[in-house]
Amino acid sequence: MSPTSPSPRPPRFAGRVALVTGAAGGIGASVAELLAAEGATVGVVDLNHASAEKVAARLRELGGEAAPYACDVSDARSVDETVERLCRDHGRLDILVTCAGVLRDNLLFKTGDDDWKAVIDTHLTGTFNCARAAQRPMVSQRYGKMVFLSSDSARGSRGQTNYSAAKAGIEGMAKTIAIELGKFDVNVNAVAPGFVETEMTRATARRIGQDYEEFKAGSAARAALGRVATPEDIAKVIAFLCSDDSAIMTGQVLLTRGSP
Ligand SMILES: NC(=O)c1ccc[n+]([C@@H]2O[C@H](COP(=O)([O-])OP(=O)(O)OC[C@H]3O[C@@H](n4cnc5c(N)ncnc54)[C@H](O)[C@@H]3O)[C@@H](O)[C@H]2O)c1
């Protein structure tokens, strides 16, 4: 290296401990992988221990630090216990990313009470449970980053009354928690993707009986960038919000839908 070259930056998340929900697949698994690759110890949280361990094992094989935690985010006690266990295991909690999610799409007149409750409990109550549990260590550390998964559907989406209500609620929650926790150096932001290539969009294509490639192409054609997002695209934006590169940003919703 020449004497004038800048010294390389240390990994962005060295020494940080992260908890990623819904991390057994899709966007959550990509976020977990990116945070681990850049030095974080990652708690891989999902409903099923075996599927969380599968991702955690892959991250460890890639040279990262990761451990699985089985937890239902809609259950406040399960979330509190998971956060307490993770803090006992790894000493702190710096980063929370909430990716756990389910869909129960239908037109309003066909949406049953169970469809409403499953989506609100997982997304809205689940995000609340995680944020409330995570703020305890973050406030006492005077450091934290929370990133909540919203969706472009928060702005209205046919057949998704439950989902769009939950996601709009999550955006409001991010702004309010950002106001409350700013003085403790805890940043709280949301990311709102459009179509992302994951099991969630595959399941939607199956439900409406459309070929996945055609379903994807329709969405890509409506996006200014002319393509849909990969989980890695979204993970990179989330990692930015988990890093000190975005230290001045809080209470923001980043629309990551490939269009203005
Ligand atoms: N895929 C998209 O097009 C898209 C677009 C916008 C927003 N999002 C949001 O991004 C997030 C991740 O979506 P994805 O596409 O990766 O979904 P996915 O279906 O691939 O993964 C969701 C994960 O959440 C887990 N999960 C479900 N309920 C849970 C619970 N109660 N407790 C713990 N874990 C639970 C599932 O087991 C699964 O591993 C979701 O919040 C989703 O609403 C996705």
Side-chain angles (χ1 to χ4, degrees), residues 169-205:
I170 286 170
E171 293 187 4
M173 208 189 304
K175 290 175 189 294
T176 295
I177 302 174
I179 291 168
E180 292 187 14
L181 300 189
K183 61 174 179 279
F184 302 107
D185 263 341
V186 177
N187 301 60
V188 187
N189 292 289
V191 170
F195 190 118
V196 188
E197 279 195 73
T198 69
E199 178 50 32
M200 190 172 269
T201 45
R202 282 190 195 92
T204 300

Side-chain angles (χ1 to χ4, degrees), residues 102-134:
V102 291
L103 288 183
R104 295 282 186 279
D105 293 355
N106 228 325
L107 294 175
L108 175 62
F109 77 101
K110 292 194 231 165
T111 300
D113 292 347
D114 288 354
D115 300 324
W116 170 260
K117 196 167 154 31
V119 169
I120 296 295
D121 285 359
T122 306
H123 291 273
L124 190 59
T125 307
T127 302
F128 166 74
N129 288 339
C130 292
R132 187 178 56 182

Side-chain angles (χ1 to χ4, degrees), residues 48-70:
N48 178 284
H49 188 274
S51 52
E53 169 53 15
K54 216 163 152 182
V55 171
R58 185 159 49 84
L59 303 194
R60 292 193 300 268
E61 271 165 35
L62 293 170
E65 300 274 344
Y69 295 87

